[in-house]
Amino acid sequence: MYPVPSFPAPKGSIIDSHAHFNDKKFDSFRDELLLKMHDLGVSKIINCGCDFETIDECVALSNNYDFCYTSVGFHPENVPDSEIDFERFRNIIKNNKKIVAIGETGLDYYWRDDNKSAQKAAFHTQLEISKEFDLPVIIHDRDAHGDTLEILKEHKPKGVVHCFSGSLEMAKEVINLGMYIGIGGVLTFKNSIKLKEVAREIPLTKILLETDAPYMAPEPFRGKINHSALIIYVAEKLAEIKNLSVQEVLEATSKNTEILFKF
Ligand code: NI
């Protein structure tokens, strides 16, 4: 089962800029949980597809739930050894009005570093497609900060580096490109010293809140199933770090998300 926050957020105040409600971990209670979202304060959720199969699942969710939107991408972990059918990919975007972003796309040298050139090629193509459709990008960067930043500087896309794990210096470079920093449950973890420094030093106008549900549940639910309503705990931590109210944090970050994804 899933944890429920002991104090729900005010109605409509939470937007989850990055989730995977299509994940199998939700299979036995997905609808039950999604139907509760409104009462728990959540007004919009972006589910991110990572390959053709999960893209279809996310599109189906956005067809069934008016508050669900879709981002479509090939996650670096899902980049196949064979070529990706990007014409099929473009057709999916053309035929779905609730697709608001490209991603997640990017580089992940933690899981695999023997196919760096294939990961980079797929990343470049998706950044080009984001320009073709005038859509922002949702970037995944794990253990690949240097190469990710280099490619972002080349393309200068609109978008967000999700689950940001870089240094303050990198965060400033990302912001200088006009992009946003995605922050989730990690902010509440005791050992997340670097991310807390980033959160403290960068302006609130450049931060988006996210879950990466079902993963990355914030404290006090670390290790459990994550979902959008638990963003209240990330907002609380960010409010504490920035010396603001939770309400101010939720209002500002939700507004940032609506500006970027134009929904
Ligand atoms: Ni994700």
Side-chain angles (χ1 to χ4, degrees):
M1 272 305 267
Y2 50 89
V4 173
S6 48
F7 47 94
K11 275 215 157 50
S13 60
I14 289 176
I15 298 182
D16 186 351
S17 66
H18 189 119
H20 304 274
F21 275 91
N22 58 305
D23 194 282
K24 285 181 180 54
K25 288 198 165 66
F26 290 113
D27 278 357
S28 57
F29 50 78
R30 180 179 297 103
D31 290 314
E32 177 194 324
L33 178 58
L34 284 170
L35 288 168
K36 278 188 185 152
M37 283 297 141
H38 183 74
D39 287 339
L40 293 173
V42 180
S43 65
K44 288 171 187 159
I45 298 169
I46 301 176
N47 287 302
C48 301
C50 299
D51 55 20
F52 283 124
E53 190 186 337
T54 51
I55 285 170
D56 284 349
E57 292 167 0
C58 294
V59 166
L61 281 174
S62 71
N63 290 335
N64 290 341
Y65 293 95
D66 59 355
F67 59 92
C68 286
Y69 297 81
T70 306
S71 179
V72 294
F74 267 82
H75 192 291
E77 274 178 53
N78 300 56
V79 167
D81 292 325
S82 55
E83 258 183 46
I84 298 170
D85 183 354
F86 280 114
E87 275 322 297
R88 180 178 166 195
F89 186 75
R90 285 182 173 88
N91 280 327
I92 292 170
I93 301 168
K94 278 179 201 155
N95 291 317
N96 288 283
K97 289 201 170 66
K98 289 180 83 182
I99 290 175
V100 295
I102 303 294
E104 41 194 301
T105 177
L107 303 172
D108 192 321
Y109 299 161
Y110 176 82
W111 288 107
R112 223 181 137 174
D113 67 357
D114 62 333
N115 68 341
K116 286 184 180 179
S117 60
Q119 287 192 37
K120 284 182 188 173
F123 188 19
H124 277 292
T125 306
Q126 290 175 83
L127 288 166
E128 283 158 14
I129 293 173
S130 80
K131 293 262 162 74
E132 279 171 42
F133 289 92
D134 192 27
L135 289 172
V137 287
I138 296 176
I139 305 293
H140 174 103
D141 158 32
R142 189 163 184 201
D143 288 359
H145 302 323
D147 286 356
T148 300
L149 199 54
E150 192 182 307
I151 292 174
L152 291 178
K153 281 180 178 168
E154 186 185 328
H155 289 267
K156 297 185 178 62
K158 289 181 291 184
V160 57
V161 178
H162 117 84
C163 199
F164 186 81
S165 60
S167 63
L168 175 58
E169 193 188 334
M170 180 178 175
K172 285 178 176 168
E173 295 213 53
V174 168
I175 289 169
N176 278 340
L177 290 169
M179 299 182 72
Y180 292 83
I181 302 294
I183 294 180
V186 174
L187 189 70
T188 67
F189 298 172
K190 240 190 187 144
N191 55 356
S192 66
I193 294 156
K194 206 167 58 169
L195 183 62
K196 287 192 184 84
E197 185 195 13
V198 169
R200 188 170 51 243
E201 298 299 326
I202 65 172
L204 188 60
T205 51
K206 301 310 291 183
I207 297 176
L208 307 188
L209 298 186
E210 61 168 64
T211 56
D212 211 13
Y215 305 102
M216 299 294 193
E219 293 288 3
F221 301 115
R222 187 171 181 178
K224 300 228 164 62
I225 292 225
N226 196 8
H227 62 81
S228 307
L230 302 186
I231 277 183
I232 186 77
Y233 293 96
V234 182
E236 259 204 324
K237 180 53 78 179
L238 186 56
E240 182 194 313
I241 290 169
K242 288 203 162 298
N243 205 14
L244 296 166
S245 71
V246 176
Q247 185 65 24
E248 283 170 315
V249 164
L250 286 172
E251 268 173 30
T253 52
S254 291
K255 193 174 136 206
N256 299 341
T257 311
E258 288 178 322
I259 290 170
L260 178 63
F261 298 105
K262 295 187 197 147
F263 59 10

